[in-house]
Amino acid sequence: MQILIDECLPKKLKQEFVEYSVFTVQEKGWSGMQNGELLNEAENEFDVWLTADQNIESQQNLNRFDIAVVVLVAPQNKLEVLLPLMPLLHDVLKNIQPKQLIYIEP
């Protein structure tokens, strides 16, 4: 599985996915792209886009893109705040399908 981590999330979150192929938006050179453009690029290479953008559903028609979107819902986008969500996220990743939108929250 190929996972893309959005630039709004800490880069160190990548360390939580040793069993997957994971890149950050910054590593791909896609920093600053608007979400629609980013999803357009990402769907060709990735299975899942991981973000903290809780408004993504109202900003984009996600059914247009052949990629699953997982939104981490937390009061802050700091690594120590997001780490407790990782067990739930790993469970979700086991069965996630293209075009799914899933919110992970405590």
Side-chain angles (χ1 to χ4, degrees):
M1 177 178 297
Q2 306 270 4
I3 300 173
L4 180 65
I5 297 177
D6 198 6
E7 62 188 321
C8 64
L9 292 170
K11 294 176 195 168
K12 289 186 177 185
L13 196 61
K14 182 177 175 177
Q15 299 168 357
E16 298 300 311
F17 302 97
V18 293
E19 67 274 25
Y20 301 112
S21 177
V22 181
F23 289 87
T24 65
V25 166
Q26 296 90 329
E27 288 173 323
K28 295 301 293 178
W30 297 341
S31 295
M33 279 188 177
Q34 297 296 317
N35 287 337
E37 184 182 7
L38 178 65
L39 284 164
N40 214 21
E41 290 290 331
E43 73 176 336
N44 297 317
E45 195 173 331
F46 293 93
D47 303 300
V48 176
W49 179 46
L50 186 59
T51 186
D53 187 346
Q54 296 179 41
N55 294 319
I56 191 66
E57 194 171 9
S58 62
Q59 297 167 3
Q60 299 294 322
N61 177 3
L62 297 175
N63 288 325
R64 290 182 34 224
F65 305 101
D66 194 27
I67 188 171
V69 177
V70 177
V71 179
L72 297 179
V73 178
Q76 296 177 322
N77 293 346
K78 294 183 178 183
L79 185 62
E80 61 271 12
V81 175
L82 297 170
L83 286 177
L85 300 177
M86 292 304 103
L88 292 170
L89 176 57
H90 283 284
D91 284 345
V92 163
L93 292 176
K94 291 176 188 173
N95 299 307
I96 200 160
Q97 298 295 313
K99 299 186 183 283
Q100 274 191 299
L101 171 63
I102 297 176
Y103 290 86
I104 305 287
E105 47 193 308

